[in-house]
């Protein structure tokens, strides 16, 4: 092994170190992706997806070969390493990789038009951030028109810096918005546990309780009030992991 100096570029990641912290982006990767698709000079859009569009497996006509779509989505998935803003759109588009249609490809092209105007975006790992975790969780209840399963999304900050984010379809159908939100909180709590273990290995042993923010009052009440458990028997027991973490002081909702 040998010292190659300050890290600047690695596997498509561009790293700029300043007094404010470390800025990580994939500008060249995004530019190369747009160039490959012939969309380098397209008119940019302000949103990654049409908010009124509901993708289904049947919409549009099947593409002659799914390979082009699959390669494009594979590159977009890698782009989410530094782009939390496209995580939800990419996970939605990646659900149709086995049999993509013209509608799915059109939605993917729209996402590329959004990237055309935001090539330089990335994440700042601020040098002045405090050593405490803040987590945000949310869900899109019954958003999948095919399975009626909800989507979990979360983002976790270390101080002011985003360090973990995900958008993922839930494994089971939620019977209410509260259940969908509670499942999202459970997935976020698991990620918080893993991050705290990692930070402990790095020497941060005295972290304050993590603040978990959720915008559903019923889900928050389920966490805070054990009496409500009688009305939530349909929620599997392992999702009460959140309530146990609040009880032992690891989480504050």
């Amino acid at each position: 092994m040998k010292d190659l100096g300050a890290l600047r570029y690695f596997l498509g990641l561009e790293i700029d170190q300043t007094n404010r912290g470390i800025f990580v982006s994939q500008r060249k990767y995004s530019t190369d992706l747009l160039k490959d698709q012939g969309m380098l000079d397209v008119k940019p859009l302000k949103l990654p997806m049409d908010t009124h569009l509901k993708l289904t497996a049947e919409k549009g006509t099947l593409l002659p070969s799914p390979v082009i779509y699959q390669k494009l989505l594979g590159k977009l998935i890698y782009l989410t390493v530094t782009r939390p803003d496209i995580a939800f759109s990419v996970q939605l588009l990646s659900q149709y990789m086995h049999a993509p249609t013209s509608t799915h490809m059109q939605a993917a092209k729209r996402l590329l038009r959004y990237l055309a105007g935001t090539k330089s975006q990335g994440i700042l790992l601020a040098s002045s951030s405090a050593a405490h975790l803040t987590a945000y969780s949310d869900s899109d209840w019954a958003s999948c028109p095919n399975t009626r399963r909800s989507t979990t999304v979360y983002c976790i900050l270390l101080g002011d810096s985003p360090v973990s984010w995900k958008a993922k379809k839930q494994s089971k159908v939620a019977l209410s918005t509260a259940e969908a939100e509670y499942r999202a909180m459970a997935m976020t709590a698991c990620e918080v546990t893993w991050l705290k273990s990692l930070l402990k290995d790095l020497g941060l042993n005295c972290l304050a309780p993590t603040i978990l923010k959720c915008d559903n009052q019923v889900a928050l009440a389920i966490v805070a009030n054990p009496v409500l458990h009688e009305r939530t028997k349909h929620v599997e027991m392992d999702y009460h992991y959140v309530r146990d973490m609040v009880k032992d002081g690891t989480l504050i909702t």
Side-chain angles (χ1 to χ4, degrees), residues 129-148:
S129 284
H132 64 79
L133 293 173
T134 306
Y136 296 82
S137 76
D138 202 358
S139 73
D140 193 1
W141 181 54
S143 57
C144 178
N146 299 315
T147 63
R148 284 303 169 195

Side-chain angles (χ1 to χ4, degrees), residues 35-195:
K35 191 182 294 182
D36 289 344
Q37 298 295 321
M39 299 183 68
L40 196 57
D41 299 317
V42 296
K43 184 179 179 181
L45 294 175
K46 293 183 178 180
L47 293 174
M49 290 198 77
D50 183 353
T51 54
H52 301 292
L53 178 65
K54 291 290 184 183
L55 292 178
T56 64
E58 296 80 21
K59 275 189 177 180
T61 56
L62 280 175
L63 298 178
S65 171
V67 176
I68 296 175
Y69 184 85
Q70 290 168 348
K71 285 184 176 180
L72 173 58
L73 262 293
K75 292 177 180 179
L76 288 172
I77 288 170
Y78 187 63
L79 193 56
T80 60
V81 170
T82 60
R83 297 295 297 269
D85 54 326
I86 65 170
F88 179 82
S89 302
V90 171
Q91 69 84 27
L92 186 59
L93 292 170
S94 63
Q95 295 176 28
Y96 303 100
M97 280 206 284
H98 59 291
T101 67
S102 56
T103 304
H104 305 140
M105 180 59 84
Q106 187 179 2
K109 295 283 187 180
R110 180 194 168 91
L111 178 54
L112 291 177
R113 290 183 63 186
Y114 169 75
L115 293 175
T118 58
K119 293 191 294 289
S120 300
Q121 283 193 18
I123 55 172
L124 175 66
L125 304 174
S127 57
S128 59
S129 284
H132 64 79
L133 293 173
T134 306
Y136 296 82
S137 76
D138 202 358
S139 73
D140 193 1
W141 181 54
S143 57
C144 178
N146 299 315
T147 63
R148 284 303 169 195
R149 284 193 277 167
S150 308
T151 302
T152 289
V153 291
Y154 66 73
C155 182
I156 303 174
L157 308 180
L158 177 62
D160 298 322
S161 306
V163 292
S164 181
W165 52 88
K166 178 174 280 190
K168 184 179 182 181
K169 189 189 289 187
Q170 295 181 0
S171 59
K172 295 184 179 180
V173 175
L175 302 181
S176 65
T177 54
E179 182 182 346
E181 295 273 5
Y182 193 49
R183 290 177 189 271
M185 291 175 75
M187 181 180 283
T188 310
C190 290
E191 184 69 8
V192 166
T193 302
W194 181 83
L195 282 173

